[in-house]
Structures are given as C-alpha cells and as structure tokens.
C-alpha cells in the first residue's frame, strides 16, 4: 500500500469510505474535497448526501451512543458535514432531490439555555435535515412566525428550567388552536423532562439527548413518508 | 488531490487506561494541618511521658531486651523506658524517604516526602464476589488479586497478604504468596512477618532477584510490623523486625489501636499512646541497624462502645489520621495510614460512604503509603473483588485531585474564553478539542447516563457493573515477562524451602 492516495483514482466505494472516515475524524476540508470529487464524477447530489455524509454521521451517532466518541468529536464531525452541505444544499434543491426533513428548533420563553438545543441542531443537520435554529426565549408568536416561514415537519421545543417547562404546553395548545398541530411532529427536550411529561403536554416525543433526537426525528419522518 | 494516507480514528480501541500510563502520584496540593504547632507539641510531650514513665513492653524476646539495654535503655522486667533524648537520637537516624525496588525498575516507588502510593487490602481470611458470595480465601483468589493490582494503573504496590490462602499449609504459604507477587506482577511487594524464618525467606527471595548488595542500598521489601497495642511488641513481630532491620529492608511500624479498647476512649490520649509506641519501635529498629528505612504507621479507629465492634470511617478516626500524619512529618518520617475502610459486607452505599470517610483524609493528610487502598470489606475480614475494582476508580480520581490546578497558559484557556460569545459553549473550541480526553477525570465504572439510557441498559448498579468489569479484567490479564532463569531459581528456592519446612 502506498503512503499517498489520489482521490481522483479511488473507486467510488472507496471514495465514500474515505468521506465517511474523514467526516468521523472531523476533517472539514477533506470532506469538502471528496464531496466535490464525487460530484465531478457525475454522481447525484442525493447519492453523495446519503451514501457519503449521512452514512458517515450514522457511524458517528452510533459510536457516540456506545461511548467511543466524545461530544467535541461529534461536534467536529457535524461541522465537517456542514461544510460538505454548503456545496450540496443548493444542488439538492436544484435537482429536486427528496428532503430528509425540515426542522425548526428553539428554547421556550423565559429559558436562555440553548447549549443542548444547539447540539441537537448540529446533529439534525448532520443527519441531513434542514434546520432553522430560532435561538432562545421564544414566545408563541416567534414559533408561529418560524413555522410560517420555514414550513417544517418537525418542531423542537427546548427547556432546562422546571419553571419554563409549562410554556411548552402553551405552545402546543396554540398550535392546536391554530389548527396546525396535526401537520407537525413536536419533539421536546431538556434535562428535567421525561416521557410522561411529553405525553401530558401533548408532544409527540421526548428526546433525552442529541443522539436520541436524531433517531426520533428520523423515525417520525419515516412514519410521515409512509403515510404520505 | 494527492495526499498522505492517514489512519482514521474510527475503529481504534476505546481509550482505556493502560497500566503503563500512570505513575506514582506526587502530592501537589496543600497538606491539611489539623493541629497547630503548640497542640502538636503537647501530644509529643505526653507521648514522651508515656515512653519514659509508663513504658513499652518487649514481650518474650530476651535478645531484644539485651539490645535495648546495650543502647542505654532502662529495662524493668520486659518493660522498656526511653528518655526523650534517646528517642530523638535514634529516630533521627531513619531516612525521611527511600526507594523500594521493583523488578520492573519503572515501578520502583519512592516512599516518603511528597510521594504517595496505594497498596491493596492486607490480611483478610475471606474473599467475596457477587456471584459466589463470601468464602475462605484460596491461592487462586490471592493470585487473582495480585493480577487486579497489577492491572490497575492506580495501585502502585502489589501489597502483602492480600488475602490469606487458606487452602495451603500455614508453615509454607508465605512462599507461595511471595512467588505469586513476583510471578504475576512486576510491582514492589511486602515481606512476610509471621516469624523470623518467614522474614528470612522473604529476604532470600529478593536477594535472588536483585542481589544481596543491591537490596542493602535500596530496600526491595517493605514489611508490616504491627504493635500489639496497648504498649506491647511481641516476639513474633520483634523477630521479623530484627531480620528485616539487619538486612536493611524497610519496615512499617504500626500501632494497631481501636480506641476504647486498645487505646483510651479519647483522641488526644490515643494519639499520644500511638506516638509513643511507633517511636519506640522505630528507635529499636535504628538500634539494630542505623539508617534502616522505616515508616511511621497508624492504624487507628474506635470500637463501637455499645456493641464492641470496630467502627470504620468514624469522624474521630479522621481527626486522628490528620494528626498522625503531622506527627510523622514532625519526625521527618514517611507515613503509613488510611485505606478504603468499611464495615459493610458488600460494596453498597454504606461501604462507599465509610471508605471515602477515611480515604479523603488520607489524601489530604498526605499519607505516603496507603495500605488497604482497595478491596477492604467487613472490617477487614473480607477482601471484596468488586470492592477492589470500584475502589480503584476512586483512587484514579484522587490522582487528579493530587495534581492540583494547572496554572499554565493551557490551564487558563484564554483563547477559548475569548472565542466563545456570551451564552455560547466551549464544547467545540480548538482548546476543548485539544484537551477533552484529559481535561476531566472520567470513571469507567460510574454511571453518568441519562436516566432513560441507564434503564434501557438494564438499570445496573455499581456492584453489577464492577462484577462485569472484574470478569473482563481477569480475562484480559497477561503476565509481565519474567526472566526464565530467575523464575527457575526462585521456584527451586521455594521447593527446597517447602521440603525443609515440611521436614
């Protein structure tokens, strides 16, 4: 085996494999180079997304859950994914490729703790979702405006404080009143939450961490796609 | 498009701590001084009063009494009375620190000064694990503990009688224990103190390993000479002490005091008695062989005066531990105490609380040689396998505590602070990416998962997790290489001595 590789000479399977490895190791520039190489060979953007980047992030997610990877490593992988997406996203839209899903996420009114939801955003993006992170301290009106603007399938509500948790129910009640609750999958997250709380306030699911948030969002997208 | 081929981190083994990776810890934090100088001096003065007026018994050993007399000590019957001048004269001869040789030179240990070292439990007749419960210890159990101690990067010493191998004949089992320490570990170990003969066998085995001259320069054995408190050294301990001192092997002189029974029902008085006993033993060792490495030892707690049982982790024993360490420092001697003591029978909540109640003071007081640092259960009657594995996790945390705070540029991480906006996070900054694996101590056995994930994994408690780890550790064990010629010579010695002893 030589000590050098020329990615232009790699068979396509090996190129994807390399893309996944470089994503795993958080090498943004290399991932970008490999995405460009795959596109130059005439591969469909959707193929590059699913067989290269998303497949790579699946491994990252799995190793994170198994305790092999640490949070900073997952972040690096997700940000490499993001750099590949800067090239892929416009092409995906152009080619009318199927979407992995669209999500809006934000912390509820009174809550400024957004580190957790920022991780979820990164991980969702890593899984190929289009994510709009509307930041902290969001009122019902803020959520409504974001839903109007981005038409997401998934709405993520985040809270760290027990005192702001009830506002999640206020948001869901407002969705019901506006008659748009049924077309959204509402996922809630935050340290003091539980499955029981999610059920009680009428959310679709509680996600205990960023890895679970990815799995749950994918699962609901699959259900939606099968129903469609 | 041409670049160097690199190896992905993917598929690398998960980062477990290697035996080689961690060395003997240095105490780099302030030492906790419980008493001020005048209070400490008061304890010293009272102990001098005990030594000169009340006396220490040297029991059933005329030779020891003769040695004492030759060195000017007043002896009445078997009671020896030391003057403060005599004590000071002889105690000053002992080195303030020394190195104990290991057959792997990288594992030799400095005993004393700012150095700490952790050794396994010593002496239990029983062992216990989650699957088989409590039972009498065997040679197999002994070897398994030697392997566990070898595998833990946080145990620096192989110890002595980690568990009593009760399946072997008493007169020769010391040979099997010593050989097991040498064969299954390359860390330093302790000599047998059951008799002068056992001590001589121990010395002979390290002479085979290191050569008789080398071990006179630096000891290859450290052995536990207990004082049978109150105020009594017996012939068994005295005869072992004489053998070791003459061979310039290190001894730990440890008064064994359960206050209320073997010492007064008072802490200051217990400390004065302990100090008198330890100094008498240390002075005696220096009379035999000036410069013999000795360690000032303390094994002190109290009895429960309601039931008569020993209590471990008592607040009074913590107070006494801090002061004992101060006393040892006052005489410029290495200090032995502490351990993960518990009365609990299994590694449950009680065991955890009790153990940390003594171990934290041992760390803050700067105990140089921490015997019983892993595996102790049941008031010392049982060596617990899972307890051993769990204790090692906590010892790992103490290694980090002992290092104190990194005040370097990397320790301040200003680049990270500058780069993160208000309310942002440091999880992905270049500084975090450079440091995340080593920034914080991570127990491999304690559970940090979200509740739901813990339940999904089977809701295992620490005892169960430790049991699983125990199986993995023993399955993964590989013996450190031992020179075949040396091995043969040691085995020949053991066989010959067994034949001689069994007659």
């Amino acid at each position: 085996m030589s000590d050098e590789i020329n990615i232009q000479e790699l068979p396509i399977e090996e190129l994807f494999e390399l893309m996944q490895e470089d994503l795993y190791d958080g090498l943004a520039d290399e991932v970008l180079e490999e995405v460009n190489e795959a596109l130059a060979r005439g591969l469909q953007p959707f193929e590059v997304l699913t067989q290269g980047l998303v497949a790579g992030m699946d491994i990252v997610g799995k190793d994170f859950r198994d305790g092999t990877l640490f949070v900073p490593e997952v972040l690096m992988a997700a940000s490499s994914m993001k750099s590949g997406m800067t090239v892929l996203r416009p092409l995906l839209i152009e080619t009318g490729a199927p979407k992995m899903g669209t999500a809006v996420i934000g912390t509820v009114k009174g809550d400024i703790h957004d580190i957790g939801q920022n991780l979820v955003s990164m991980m969702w993006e890593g899984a190929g979702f289009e994510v709009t992170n509307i930041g902290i301290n969001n009122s019902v009106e803020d959520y409504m405006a974001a839903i109007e603007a981005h038409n997401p399938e998934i709405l993520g509500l985040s809270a760290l404080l027990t005192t702001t948790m009830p506002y999640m129910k206020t948001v869901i009640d407002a969705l019901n009143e506006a008659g748009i609750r049924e077309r959204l999958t509402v996922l809630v997250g935050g340290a003091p939450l539980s499955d029981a709380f999610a059920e009680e306030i009428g959310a679709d699911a509680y996600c205990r961490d960023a890895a679970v948030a990815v799995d749950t969002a994918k699962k609901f997208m699959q259900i939606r796609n099968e129903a469609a | 498009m041409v670049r160097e081929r690199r190896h992905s981190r993917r598929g690398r083994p998960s980062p477990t701590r290697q035996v080689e990776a961690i060395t003997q810890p240095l105490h780099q934090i302030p030492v906790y001084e419980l008493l001020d100088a005048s209070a400490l001096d008061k304890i010293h003065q009272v102990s001098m009063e005990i030594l000169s007026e009340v006396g220490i018994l040297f029991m059933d050993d005329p030779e020891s009494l003769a040695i004492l007399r030759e060195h000017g000590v007043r002896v009445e019957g078997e009671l020896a009375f030391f003057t403060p001048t005599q004590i000071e004269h002889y105690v000053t001869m002992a080195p303030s620190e020394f190195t104990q040789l290991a057959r792997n030179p990288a594992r030799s240990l400095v005993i004393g000064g700012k150095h700490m070292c952790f050794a396994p439990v010593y002496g239990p007749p029983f062992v216990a694990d989650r699957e088989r419960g409590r039972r009498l210890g065997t040679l197999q159990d002994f070897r398994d503990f030697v392997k566990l101690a070898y595998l833990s990067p946080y145990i620096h010493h192989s110890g002595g009688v980690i568990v009593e191998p009760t399946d072997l004949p008493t007169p020769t089992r010391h040979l099997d224990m010593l050989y097991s320490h040498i064969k299954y570990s390359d860390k330093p170990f302790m000599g047998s103190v059951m008799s002068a003969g056992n001590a001589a066998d121990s010395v002979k085995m390290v002479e085979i390993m290191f050569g008789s001259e080398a071990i006179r320069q630096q000891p290859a054995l450290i052995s536990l000479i207990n004082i049978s408190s109150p105020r009594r050294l017996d012939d068994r301990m005295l005869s072992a002490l004489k053998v070791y001192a003459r061979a310039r092997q290190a001894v730990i002189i440890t008064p064994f005091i359960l206050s209320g029974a073997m010492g007064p029902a008072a802490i200051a008085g217990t400390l004065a008695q302990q100090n008198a006993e330890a100094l008498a033993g240390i002075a005696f060792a220096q009379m035999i062989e000036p410069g013999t490495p000795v360690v000032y030892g303390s094994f002190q707690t109290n009895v429960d005066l309601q039931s008569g049982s020993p209590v471990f982790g008592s607040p009074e024993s913590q107070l006494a531990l801090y002061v004992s360490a101060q006393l040892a420092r006052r005489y410029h001697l290495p200090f032995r105490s502490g351990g993960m003591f518990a009365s609990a029978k299994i590694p449950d909540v009680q065991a955890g609380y009790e153990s940390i109640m003594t171990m934290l003071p041992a760390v803050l007081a700067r105990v140089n040689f921490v015997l019983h640092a892993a595996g102790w259960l049941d008031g010392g009657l049982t060596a617990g396998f899972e307890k051993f594995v769990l204790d090692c996790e906590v010892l790992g945390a103490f290694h980090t505590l002992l290092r104190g705070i990194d005040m370097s540029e990397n320790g301040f991480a200003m680049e990270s602070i500058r780069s993160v906006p208000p309310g942002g996070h440091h999880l992905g900054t270049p500084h975090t990416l450079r440091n995340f694996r080593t920034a914080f101590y991570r127990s491999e056995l304690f559970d940090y998962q979200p509740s739901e994930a813990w339940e999904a994994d089977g809701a295992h408690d620490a005892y169960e997790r430790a049991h699983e780890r125990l199986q993995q550790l023993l399955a993964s064990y590989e013996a450190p290489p031992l020179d075949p010629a040396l091995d043969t010579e040691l085995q020949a010695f053991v066989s010959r001595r067994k034949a001689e002893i069994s007659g």
Side-chain angles (χ1 to χ4, degrees), chain A residues 1-8 18 20-22 24-25 27 30 33-34 59 68-73 75-76 114-115 119 206 208, chain B residues 1-15 423-428 432-433 436-437 442 449-453 456:
Chain A
M1 193 186 276
S2 93
D3 286 345
E4 288 189 339
I5 42 170
N6 184 342
I7 64 165
Q8 287 170 317
L18 185 66
Q20 292 167 15
E21 279 182 5
D22 288 342
Y24 191 98
D25 293 346
L27 303 172
E30 284 79 355
E33 208 174 276
E34 287 139 15
I59 301 168
T68 311
L69 286 180
F70 285 52
V71 173
E73 294 174 295
L75 278 179
M76 284 300 281
D114 64 344
I115 291 179
L119 296 183
Y206 155 64
R208 66 165 184 261
Chain B
M1 290 292 187
V2 176
R3 50 170 120 119
E4 212 168 298
R5 189 181 287 276
R6 35 180 299 286
H7 290 284
S8 173
R9 290 196 302 254
R10 193 173 136 196
R12 73 186 163 190
S14 61
H425 66 74
H426 290 260
L427 290 164
T432 305
L433 286 165
F436 71 89
R437 284 199 183 277
R442 235 186 133 252
Q449 296 189 92
S451 196
E452 294 83 358

Side-chain angles (χ1 to χ4, degrees), chain A residues 146-222:
Chain A
I147 292 164
E148 173 94 23
H150 304 285
N151 192 28
E153 288 93 18
I154 297 191
L155 177 66
L157 304 178
S158 175
L160 179 70
L161 307 177
T162 49
T163 48
T164 57
M165 280 164 58
Y167 198 78
M168 291 181 160
K169 183 167 188 311
T170 308
V171 176
I172 293 173
D173 288 347
L175 297 175
N176 277 319
E177 274 168 43
I180 56 170
R181 171 68 185 87
E182 289 311 308
R183 64 178 169 93
L184 289 163
T185 295
V186 179
L187 304 182
V188 294
L193 277 64
S194 64
D195 290 329
F197 175 77
E199 196 178 330
E200 191 184 304
I201 63 168
D204 288 292
Y206 155 64
C207 306
R208 66 165 184 261
D209 60 34
V212 170
V214 171
D215 291 344
T216 311
K218 280 187 186 168
K219 190 183 79 190
F220 276 100
M221 283 310 295
Q222 197 185 342

Side-chain angles (χ1 to χ4, degrees), chain B residues 16 67 136 275 287 316 432:
Chain B
T16 46
I67 292 168
L136 279 168
N275 197 47
M287 290 174 192
E316 296 82 6
T432 305

